[in-house]
């Protein structure tokens, strides 16, 4: 089968097309013929940083080929003897083999049924492949950890990106008032997604315009501004909740949170069958949509990585097979 292997830690061009054996499944796995795979910033980070690569994919170091890719959509072609929930022919999507040797950048991947949901018939494999890690992250930030309620005000930083564009839609679905922060090119996109207000971070300071948010979902890491997260603290009202996707909180920061009686969470996406099933329902009804900004063929995985590491991707970047 065709697959994309990482030849060595380094630039996107180290992702090369190879021919590998089709994986063998265990009794409790299914074999999925992959139709689309989505790409995330963490994959591009692991690709260029050995420590991150080993952590994210639990590599031993003696793998003949390193194949990245957690976010897949495809068709079940074989089921293990102990699998009762899926059948050959089922169209499925999900975040598979998360924090293990993922192996989703390939024509076939062995996956656990618990990591998969049935793909709604109304959406494409590309749209389904997008609504995996990024959609789970948005759901777990806003619903599981953030407990966002109807009528609350949420500020979403990184709103036009993979996670953020799902977060805007989930927040609106929950009945929240959404302030989306992005660059000016993405204003119309974010308002069309349902945001109530748009703030242009290139010319405005969101923490001066909003100081009464119930929740801030912060997906921004800036090397130029390492204490960017403190601006999110200023946007919250006393007692609010801060969800950070990228910043770990040190003691000094916890002390800052305490001064405003804030609760802070470092969001860490987890595979979760119930959350994925809920996302599948929202995709089926159209309450949640994937915006696919770019698709590339498998052989051009390097282009997908080059795009995602700009940190300015809109919606999801998808590779199709
Ligand atoms: N903790 C977890 O479990 C978890 C899970 C998923 C993702 N993440 C992390 O969360 C971050 C976002 O992920 P993603 O997949 O959504 O990335 P993405 O698709 O690359 O989107 C990044 C977004 O950030 C926006 N942005 C860049 N600089 C900004 C700034 N200074 N202020 C406001 N927005 C800014 C960009 O908007 P413009 O184009 O408008 O600039 C873009 O829409 C990444 O760092 C990723 O690694 C963490």
């Amino acid at each position: 089968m065709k697959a994309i292997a990482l030849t060595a830690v380094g630039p996107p061009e180290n992702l090369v097309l190879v021919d590998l054996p089709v994986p063998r499944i265990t009794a409790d796995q299914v074999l999925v013929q992959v139709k689309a795979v989505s790409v995330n910033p963490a994959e591009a980070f692991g690709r260029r940083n050995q420590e991150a690569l080993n952590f994210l994919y639990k590599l031993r170091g003696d793998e003949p080929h390193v194949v990245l890719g957690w976010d897949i959509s495809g068709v079940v072609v074989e089921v293990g003897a102990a699998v009762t929930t899926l059948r050959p022919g089922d169209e499925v999507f999900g975040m598979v083999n998360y924090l293990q040797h993922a192996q989703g950048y390939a024509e076939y991947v062995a996956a656990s049924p618990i990591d998969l949901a049935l793909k709604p018939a109304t959406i494409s494999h590309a749209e389904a492949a997008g609504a995996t890690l990024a959609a789970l992250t948005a759901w777990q930030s806003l619903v599981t950890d953030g407990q966002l309620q109807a009528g609350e005000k949420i500020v979403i930083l990184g709103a036009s990106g993979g996670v953020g564009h799902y977060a805007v839609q989930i927040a609106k679905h929950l009945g929240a008032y959404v302030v989306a922060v992005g660059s000016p090119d993405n204003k119309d996109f974010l308002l069309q997604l349902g945001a109530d207000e748009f703030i242009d971070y290139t010319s405005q300071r969101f923490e001066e315009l909003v100081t009464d948010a119930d929740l801030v979902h912060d997906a921004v890491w800036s090397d130029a501004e390492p204490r960017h997260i403190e601006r999110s603290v200023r946007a919250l009202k006393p007692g609010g909740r801060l969800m950070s996707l990228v910043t770990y909180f040190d003691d000094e920061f916890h002390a800052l949170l305490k001064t405003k009686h804030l609760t802070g969470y470092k969001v860490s996406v987890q595979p979760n069958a119930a959350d994925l099933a809920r996302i599948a329902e929202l995709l089926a009804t159209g309450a949640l949509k994937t915006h696919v900004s770019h698709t590339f063929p498998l052989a051009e995985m390097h282009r997908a990585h080059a795009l995602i590491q700009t940190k300015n991707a809109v919606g999801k970047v998808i590779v199709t097979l």
Side-chain angles (χ1 to χ4, degrees):
M1 66 169 185
K2 290 192 191 103
I4 294 292
L6 178 64
T7 54
V9 162
E13 290 70 26
N14 289 3
L15 294 162
V16 298
L17 193 64
V18 293
D19 197 23
L20 296 181
V22 173
R24 290 204 184 144
I25 57 169
T26 59
D28 55 2
Q29 286 182 317
V30 298
L31 187 67
V32 180
Q33 182 179 13
V34 178
K35 299 288 188 183
V37 53
S38 85
V39 175
N40 297 285
E43 287 155 71
F45 185 58
R47 192 209 68 234
R48 61 183 189 270
N49 179 304
Q50 187 70 53
E51 206 181 324
L53 185 74
N54 293 346
F55 171 76
L56 291 169
Y57 299 92
K58 299 286 178 293
L59 297 180
R60 299 180 311 267
D62 60 353
E63 291 78 7
H65 293 278
V66 174
V67 178
L68 313 182
W70 297 298
D71 283 357
I72 61 111
S73 182
V75 182
V76 174
V77 292
E78 190 186 339
V79 300
V83 174
T84 56
T85 50
L86 290 172
R87 290 178 303 186
D90 284 344
E91 293 193 313
V92 291
F93 74 109
M95 179 178 79
V96 303
N97 305 322
Y98 185 62
L99 300 187
Q100 301 168 49
H101 189 182
Q103 310 199 61
Y105 293 174
E107 283 183 287
Y108 296 92
V109 67
S112 168
I114 196 106
D115 291 336
L116 298 166
L118 290 175
K119 178 184 82 64
T122 47
I123 68 169
S124 67
H125 283 293
E127 290 166 325
T132 46
L133 186 152
L136 283 167
T137 304
W139 184 267
Q140 291 169 11
S141 173
L142 271 54
V143 179
T144 315
D145 295 334
Q147 306 265 313
L148 184 65
Q149 306 295 316
E152 287 192 317
K153 183 185 275 194
I154 179 171
V155 175
I156 299 178
L157 304 177
S160 58
V163 178
H165 91 295
Y166 292 121
V168 169
Q169 297 175 74
I170 291 168
K172 285 311 297 174
H173 178 71
L174 295 171
Y177 183 89
V178 176
V179 181
V181 183
S183 58
D185 286 353
N186 294 321
K187 178 178 179 178
D188 291 346
F189 171 60
L190 289 167
L191 294 176
Q192 276 159 21
L193 279 183
D196 297 285
E197 276 181 49
F198 170 79
I199 295 177
D200 166 10
Y201 72 78
T202 67
S203 65
Q204 296 170 298
R205 292 184 74 81
F206 68 92
E207 75 279 18
E208 289 169 3
L209 298 171
V210 181
T211 54
D212 61 348
D214 297 284
L215 201 140
V216 175
H217 166 98
D218 187 337
V220 173
W221 173 258
S222 164
D223 289 329
E225 201 184 357
R227 302 203 73 84
H228 187 280
I229 189 83
E230 291 178 8
R231 294 172 56 187
S232 293
V233 170
R234 291 201 279 282
L236 283 160
K237 72 182 189 190
R241 288 99 74 202
L242 174 58
M243 325 304 302
S244 172
L245 269 58
V246 287
T247 309
Y248 288 90
F249 303 156
D250 57 17
D251 289 347
E252 192 187 338
F253 190 72
H254 277 294
L256 177 66
L257 292 175
K258 259 192 185 169
T259 62
K260 279 181 83 171
H261 307 288
L262 304 175
T263 310
Y265 295 83
K266 167 62 180 68
V267 177
S268 183
V269 66
Q270 305 292 328
N272 185 299
D275 292 350
L276 190 65
R278 193 74 189 99
I279 287 164
E281 282 171 20
L282 295 178
L283 291 167
T285 63
L288 193 63
K289 290 192 170 83
T290 299
H291 176 78
V292 178
S293 63
H294 291 84
T295 56
F296 298 98
L298 185 66
E300 293 181 18
M301 179 62 76
H302 58 284
R303 291 183 62 201
H305 267 240
L307 178 59
I308 201 74
Q309 74 186 40
T310 63
K311 294 188 178 180
N312 292 113
V314 178
K316 289 301 297 178
V317 176
I318 306 291
V319 168
T320 53
L321 289 91

